[in-house]
Amino acid sequence: MAVIDSKAGVTPPQTVPASRPGKLPGLAMAAAGVALAWAVHLLVPAVPMLTAAVVLGIAAAHLPWIRTRVRGAGRPGLTLAGKRLMRTGVVLLGLKLSLDDVLGLGWATVVMVFAVVAATFFGTLWLGRRLGLRGDQPLLIATGYSICGASAIGAVSEVSGSDEEDVATSVALVTLCGTLAIAVLPLLHHPLGLADAQFGRWVGASVHDVGQVVATAQTAGPDALTDAVLVKLMRVALLAPLVAAVALSVRQRRQAAPTGKRPAIIPLFVLGFLAMVAVRTTGVLPGGALDVAQHAQELLLAAALFGLGSAVHLPSLVRTGGRVAALGLCSWVVVAGVSYAGVLLTT
């Protein structure tokens, strides 16, 4: 209805700006995705819940009857899940690691893990740039292959300020390769002449995600599983210095632009991760508390990975798919080959 104004006559009707969608719809979608991923894991135990969460997120972004909600009203909450919940999950990941366990591996194994991580990270980063991959994809893929899959990608993307699509593409690639490892590596156990414990160490040094390591190593028995988890957690321990190094690099690049936000040298969530490692090392937490923390960590990371998976845009991925696939295959060969040589030299 028009309003009479004594100075200007008739004023036009006032328009109310459209409200931005809140975060609740996207968080509800993430929660539903976690529930479905958990159900998939129960039905098919060989499929880790985190892997299922990424795949379901990608599916949700492309199914005709839900993709409009994922890209519209659900986007703020799904982005929040992919960032904030990822940070909390990484912090709780520190409770899986005790310094006593790491030292119990022996210095030869510790050096081997350092060599595997360094060779995989720098080799993948160099090759990704040579292939001309966009944005931070080389950095993120190198991080995921060398440390701990999607969790490491999420942590590094927080300090590098990476584009959400780059993060999603990198997560999709390392998740695919890690899932293939569950089926492929057990077939190579005996042809490569590995004892059960050696196979476990090889899996721990070469497979990306912790859940994928467990699913792969358990095929060779409890001894293989124990060694695989210990070696894998040693790789996880290197997440903190890697994130700090990336943050320092980004900070130095942005010094020339005073208006740009520079990340802390050691982000708060990395300090939280280190604090949880220290708490686990003290042994003050009972087993029940550690079990609760582990379940919470898995649920948080599953929600985060569903959010990241929902940001994958397959048509864009197809445009660079050949180069991304080539990088993934080469990086897989590097991490598997270097870790295999390392296991033979240290056992």
Side-chain angles (χ1 to χ4, degrees), residues 281-320:
T281 302
T282 64
V284 297
L285 291 181
L290 292 175
D291 290 340
V292 171
Q294 178 177 343
H295 290 308
Q297 173 245 323
E298 289 179 351
L299 292 175
L300 288 167
L301 288 182
L305 292 178
F306 181 87
L308 290 175
S310 70
V312 172
H313 187 236
L314 290 179
S316 298
L317 184 60
V318 168
R319 285 195 290 271
T320 57

Side-chain angles (χ1 to χ4, degrees), residues 17-184:
S19 60
R20 297 177 64 186
K23 298 179 174 63
L24 188 58
L27 291 175
M29 290 180 188
V34 171
L36 286 174
W38 179 68
V40 169
H41 176 63
L42 287 181
L43 291 173
V44 188
V47 178
M49 185 170 71
L50 300 186
T51 299
V54 175
V55 174
L56 289 170
I58 295 173
H62 294 85
L63 291 174
W65 51 276
I66 194 175
R67 66 186 178 193
T68 54
R69 294 181 177 86
V70 168
R71 297 172 184 173
R75 193 69 258 151
L78 291 169
T79 299
L80 176 69
K83 293 184 176 180
R84 299 296 177 86
L85 299 186
M86 175 66 76
R87 294 180 191 175
T88 308
V90 169
V91 169
L92 293 178
L93 188 62
L95 288 175
K96 288 178 173 284
L97 183 65
S98 167
L99 293 179
D100 294 333
D101 292 337
V102 173
L103 295 177
L105 291 173
W107 287 109
T109 300
V110 171
V111 172
M112 182 268 288
V113 171
F114 268 92
V116 169
V117 169
T120 305
F121 179 80
F122 290 109
T124 303
L125 185 61
W126 176 82
L127 182 58
R129 288 172 175 170
R130 294 281 294 180
L131 290 172
L133 293 186
R134 54 164 282 178
D136 285 336
Q137 285 181 0
L139 170 65
L140 298 175
I141 293 171
T143 301
Y145 271 83
S146 61
I147 303 292
C148 54
S151 303
I153 290 173
V156 167
S157 69
E158 286 294 310
V159 298
S160 63
S162 302
D163 179 77
E164 188 176 23
E165 188 175 336
D166 287 348
V167 177
T169 299
S170 304
V171 166
L173 177 66
V174 299
T175 300
L176 173 62
C177 291
T179 303
L180 291 175
I182 298 173
V184 173

Side-chain angles (χ1 to χ4, degrees), residues 232-276:
K232 178 60 190 175
L233 292 180
M234 177 62 208
R235 287 170 67 196
V236 172
L238 297 179
L239 176 63
L242 178 60
V243 172
V246 172
L248 182 60
S249 174
V250 173
R251 188 180 181 88
Q252 291 174 341
R253 289 202 309 267
R254 294 179 181 176
Q255 282 180 345
T259 56
K261 183 180 178 182
R262 290 180 293 175
I265 294 178
I266 302 181
L268 187 60
F269 72 93
V270 174
L271 292 175
F273 171 85
L274 294 174
M276 292 301 101

